[in-house]
Amino acid sequence: MRLTPYLLSALLLLAMLGSTDAAPATIEGSWSGSGIAKLRNRTDRTVCRVSFARIEGKSFRVSALCSTGGRRFGESGRVTSAGGNRYTGWVFNEQFNERGNVQLSQRGSRLSVTVTSSRGIANLTLSRG
């Protein structure tokens, strides 16, 4: 009987540890957030709404609507799980005829996003919703 309080405490501790910042099983759904875009000789704040839709297995279609430096633009592309909480892929901006490489890192309900292209680099932090 003396083991019962210890066992209960251990189970509660494990449940608490397991729920802290546990990453959702997928990036599928809607995300929004902001960051900094450094394009050529200019640095601007960028705001985006991004959605991920599963294509197959661990691959997702990316659709984004962003604004930066007073301009609005859309991007679309594809990312695939690179293992764990990381995804890699590409996006294409039809307006500027520009393709960029994407790297995502998920931590709980946050995504850290880096997009690099010949024009520059953008770093964003997105949240679900």
Side-chain angles (χ1 to χ4, degrees):
M1 285 286 178
R2 287 186 177 177
L3 285 178
T4 303
Y6 298 111
L7 184 57
L8 184 56
S9 295
L11 288 174
L12 287 173
L13 179 62
L14 285 174
M16 288 173 22
L17 289 175
S19 65
T20 345
D21 268 346
T26 180
I27 59 171
E28 193 166 23
S30 297
W31 300 75
S32 61
S34 63
I36 299 293
K38 296 178 183 177
L39 304 173
R40 310 239 167 154
N41 295 324
R42 196 176 158 159
T43 300
D44 287 306
R45 181 171 185 266
T46 301
V47 178
C48 293
R49 288 189 158 293
V50 183
S51 64
F52 297 93
R54 187 180 303 275
I55 298 171
E56 61 186 9
K58 296 181 179 183
S59 294
F60 298 86
R61 182 180 64 245
V62 181
S63 298
L65 182 58
C66 301
S67 62
T68 185
R71 293 180 140 178
R72 294 187 76 161
F73 57 91
E75 295 187 342
S76 59
R78 180 179 179 141
V79 295
T80 302
S81 174
N85 64 342
R86 300 174 55 84
Y87 296 80
T88 59
W90 57 270
V91 290
F92 183 73
N93 180 311
E94 199 170 303
Q95 181 180 352
F96 299 112
N97 194 32
E98 185 78 24
R99 181 181 165 122
N101 294 315
V102 178
Q103 293 184 348
L104 305 174
S105 177
Q106 183 181 20
R107 182 172 173 90
S109 61
R110 296 229 185 266
L111 276 181
S112 296
V113 181
T114 300
V115 181
T116 55
S117 75
S118 61
R119 289 179 176 246
I121 186 168
N123 291 298
L124 304 161
T125 301
L126 305 176
S127 303
R128 284 204 181 269

